[in-house]
Amino acid sequence: MNIQLGRTPIGLDGIPAAETALSHVDGEHGELIIAGERVADLAAAASFEAVTARLWSAASGQPVDEVEVRQQLGVARERAFARIPELLAASPGMSIIDGFRAAVAALRAEDGLAHEATIVGACAVIAGALVQRANGAPPIAPDPTASHAADTLRMLRVGAPERREVAALDTYLVTVCDHGMNASTFAARVVASTQADLFAAVTAGYCALTGPLHGGAPEPVLEMLTAIGTRERIKPWVDDALARGARLMGFGHRIYRVRDPRADVLKAAIERLADAGTALPFASAVEAYCREALRRKNPDRVLDTNVEFFTAILLDALKIPRQAFTPIFAVARSAGWTAHAREQQRTGRLIRPSSAYIGPTPDAPKA
Ligand code: ACO
């Protein structure tokens, strides 16, 4: 439903807010292009560092290559690790999601490092340190020679991850690193358009990501699967939720009118993780019934699976605690936010929309 007050579309649906060379979402055909390639092709062939290099090159107009990005992210992870006590100082007792917000806000420029790399490298270290702190353990030091996916997983868990696990996380990071003018990217671009720095822009982006209508959905997806519990309960649970007017987490999208192409990429990545156990068959059964029930409820509005449904299953299979799902999303999306913020700054154009005033006017007759 396109909510309208008078003739004003609320929510900026369909209104281009910027020109971008970074990514394109074709909601009618279910296609996502990131830096010139279809998401499925990128996920099959490129590392997170390679895609990040493409995004940063397109945004800055300066060539950046994969090797340089890998080296810079390694240095950035080490620098962030050295500052972990300060970065986490404001957040004892806070959740992992909120502690991540406080730590990102405390980032600052590092000598000899691009702001983009400082931010993306730090996001992985902060996420790892917050997860370890929640377990009562000290943070795990980064390995600057490792890939970003491998090191992120190492810092989140105890012990070396398996290659197939690293591959699955790398696929996830590539798949969600950028996605057109989503709410968090828009927030980051608005801040960058004031010529505020990338640290401010990315903090704003993360804040927008935390809501359940955007990047906060995967944890509720797992809660939904846990609450349903068994195959017999799928139908009554989903029917009851929809009858109460609840939204099914991991379904529906503002832009896609068909299945989110990222859902299939992530589902295939989960299938390659051989011992994902029984989670995937059960989740697939829940997904199938949710799609059917949503088709019945809203026959004129396609509500299909979005990226968050399989994100939840994938990150859970990687033994990442559900409270860290949104920060892990930010580890990936920080590549897109930094690129968009840089691209926006280069336009020099302040983003300043108007609003439709519906309040009283001084000259209107008083009731
Ligand atoms: N479950 C049930 N009903 C839904 C859902 C859902 N997941 N999504 C939309 N609807 C219904 C709405 O209730 C509305 O029904 P109505 O016309 O009878 O009132 C209709 O579909 C249209 O909804 P809108 O709010 O106009 O859709 P919008 O484009 O604003 O919503 C959104 C997109 C926010 C993602 C929505 O589908 C939703 O809340 N999904 C659940 C949360 C979720 O999965 N978030 C992650 C999104 S992906 C990402 O951001 C990375």
Side-chain angles (χ1 to χ4, degrees):
M1 188 177 68
N2 189 11
I3 301 169
Q4 302 215 336
L5 290 175
R7 293 206 321 259
T8 310
I10 303 298
L12 303 180
D13 306 27
I15 299 173
E19 288 184 339
T20 181
L22 300 174
S23 59
H24 174 63
V25 184
D26 178 344
E28 295 300 324
H29 300 101
E31 191 160 276
L32 166 61
I33 293 169
I34 303 175
E37 300 284 343
R38 285 195 184 85
V39 65
D41 298 336
L42 266 186
S47 67
F48 175 68
E49 286 86 340
V51 181
T52 300
R54 294 171 76 137
L55 290 172
W56 288 351
S57 301
S60 66
Q62 306 290 327
V64 186
D65 69 30
E66 180 180 358
V67 175
E68 211 177 329
V69 169
R70 184 168 168 147
Q71 186 265 335
Q72 285 217 9
L73 291 184
V75 174
R77 293 195 300 273
E78 285 194 306
R79 297 274 185 90
F81 187 74
R83 292 196 58 222
I84 276 298
E86 292 165 57
L87 296 176
L88 269 50
S91 61
M94 280 163 95
S95 65
I96 294 175
I97 284 198
D98 293 342
F100 192 88
R101 184 187 71 227
V104 167
L107 290 174
R108 57 158 195 238
E110 294 281 347
D111 286 345
L113 264 186
H115 291 187
E116 285 89 332
T118 301
I119 292 166
V120 175
C123 282
V125 178
I126 292 166
L130 287 166
V131 166
Q132 297 300 341
R133 185 175 75 177
N135 292 335
I140 293 172
D143 170 1
T145 63
S147 74
H148 201 58
D151 216 19
T152 300
L153 212 44
R154 267 189 65 251
M155 292 184 288
L156 284 166
R157 303 193 335 197
V158 176
E162 293 174 33
R163 281 172 68 154
R164 65 199 175 94
E165 293 179 311
V166 172
L169 186 66
D170 206 22
T171 299
Y172 170 73
L173 297 179
V174 169
T175 304
V176 306
C177 70
D178 197 35
H179 196 241
M181 196 56 62
N182 59 86
S184 57
T185 298
F186 182 55
R189 285 192 81 123
V190 169
V191 172
S193 83
T194 69
Q195 298 297 329
D197 65 23
L198 263 56
F199 299 98
V202 165
T203 304
Y206 178 72
C207 290
L209 187 74
T210 56
L213 300 192
H214 189 13
E219 188 182 348
V221 166
L222 280 194
E223 282 161 7
M224 174 175 86
L225 294 175
T226 307
I228 295 174
T230 62
R231 283 176 182 259
E232 298 68 48
R233 282 174 44 84
I234 296 174
K235 184 176 182 315
W237 194 97
V238 171
D239 289 349
D240 178 59
L242 289 178
R244 283 185 284 108
R247 290 190 175 211
L248 302 177
M249 291 293 136
F251 295 89
H253 200 275
R254 176 62 62 83
I255 305 287
Y256 290 118
R257 289 296 169 265
V258 291
R259 192 178 163 85
D260 183 335
R262 299 169 297 175
D264 286 328
V265 175
L266 294 186
K267 190 172 182 182
I270 300 165
E271 280 160 354
R272 287 193 296 273
L273 267 177
D275 65 355
T278 54
L280 187 58
F282 178 64
S284 298
V286 171
E287 183 205 9
Y289 187 72
C290 288
R291 295 172 75 192
E292 185 189 322
L294 287 168
R295 262 196 307 275
R296 254 198 324 269
K297 175 181 169 270
N298 290 62
D300 301 329
R301 166 80 156 86
V302 179
L303 295 169
D304 213 323
T305 321
N306 66 45
V307 69
E308 301 289 58
F309 189 80
F310 288 110
T311 290
I313 318 299
L314 177 67
L315 298 185
D316 192 48
L318 289 174
K319 303 178 198 73
I320 295 172
R322 57 183 72 180
Q323 299 80 4
F325 286 1
T326 303
I328 296 304
F329 193 165
V331 169
R333 189 55 63 82
S334 57
W337 291 332
T338 49
H340 276 273
R342 185 65 77 200
E343 188 183 56
Q344 182 64 42
Q345 281 181 337
R346 289 180 69 220
T347 69
R349 184 74 181 161
L350 176 69
I351 297 177
R352 203 305 186 187
S354 57
S355 47
Y357 182 62
I358 57 164
T361 56
D363 302 330
K366 303 274 182 288

